[in-house]
Amino acid sequence: RVIMRTFDIGGDKIAPETAEEANPFLGWRGIRICFDRPDLFMNQLRAILRASTRKNLAIMFPMISSIKEVHQAIEFVKKAKTELRSKKIKFDDKILIGVMIEVPSAALTAGQISAEVDFLSIGSNDLTQYLLAVDRGNSLVSNLYQTFDPSVLITIKHVINAGHKNGKWVGICGELAGNPLATALLIGMGMDELSVLPSVLPEIKKIIRSLTYTDMVVLAREALGMTTVDKVEACLKSFLKKHCPDIPIEHGFKT
C-alpha cells in the first residue's frame, strides 16, 4: 500500500504563498493551508482518488489538531468522490483514510480521532518538539530536543493504546522510527508499522529478526517506567548490545 499524505507544507517547508509568521511551526501549515485553499486541496484529493483504482492507495491528513478538523477533511474527500462520480471517473470508494498524530491535542484525543479514521501515523519529529516546546531547528536549544524523553514515550504509548482500542493500526514516521536504538522499544510498545529511510532498512529488519516479541515487550515496560532520558538511553543501548551485537551501537546515539 502507498500512503499519500495531503499537502504537508508550511513550517520548514515551502508554502504556496509567502506569509510573514513569527512562529511558522505554530502557524499556517499542513491541513490548515488545505482548508484555507480548498481549490488546492480538492485538486490533490481528486488526483489521489483517480490513482486509487487498483485499491492500493490510502490518504493521510497532517497537522490535525482536533476531531472537528478530521470531520472537515473527510467531508472534502466525500465532495471529491461526488465530483468524480458525476463524471463517471472510477476510484476506490473504500479508500482508507488516516491521520498524522503530531500535535499534542491530537495525541490526547487519539481515542476519539481513531474512531473516525482507518489508521493513525505518529509524526515523531513534530510531536517531540511540540511536547517539549523545543524548536528542533534552533541550535540554541537543540540539546533539549530529546526523542527518548519519558513524556514522548508515554504519549506514544497512549496513542498506540487508543488506536488499538478502536481496532485501528498505528504507525510512526520521523527520526525516531528510523533510529535502530528505538526499534525494539517501539515494537514492544505495540507499534504496528515503522516508516524508515531505505538506508537504515537493512539494520532495522536485522534487529527485528534477531529478537522475540516477548523480549521487546519486556524492554518497553522497563523503559516506560524510567524517569530520565539518560536512563532510557542506557537501557536501550544495553539491550541492543546484548541481543544484537552485530549492530553498531553508535548509530543509536543521536536522539
Side-chain angles (χ1 to χ4, degrees), residues 31-55:
I31 200 69
R32 298 169 182 177
I33 293 179
C34 291
F35 289 157
D36 288 344
R37 288 287 306 273
D39 55 328
L40 190 74
F41 195 27
M42 287 296 292
N43 277 340
Q44 186 183 27
L45 291 176
R46 285 192 295 263
I48 293 173
L49 288 170
R50 287 169 67 109
S52 70
T53 53
R54 294 189 179 183
K55 300 183 179 182

Side-chain angles (χ1 to χ4, degrees), residues 175-193:
E175 292 177 9
L176 186 61
N179 186 340
L181 198 58
T183 303
L185 170 63
L186 293 171
I187 296 175
M189 291 167 71
M191 194 69 69
D192 301 298
E193 181 209 59

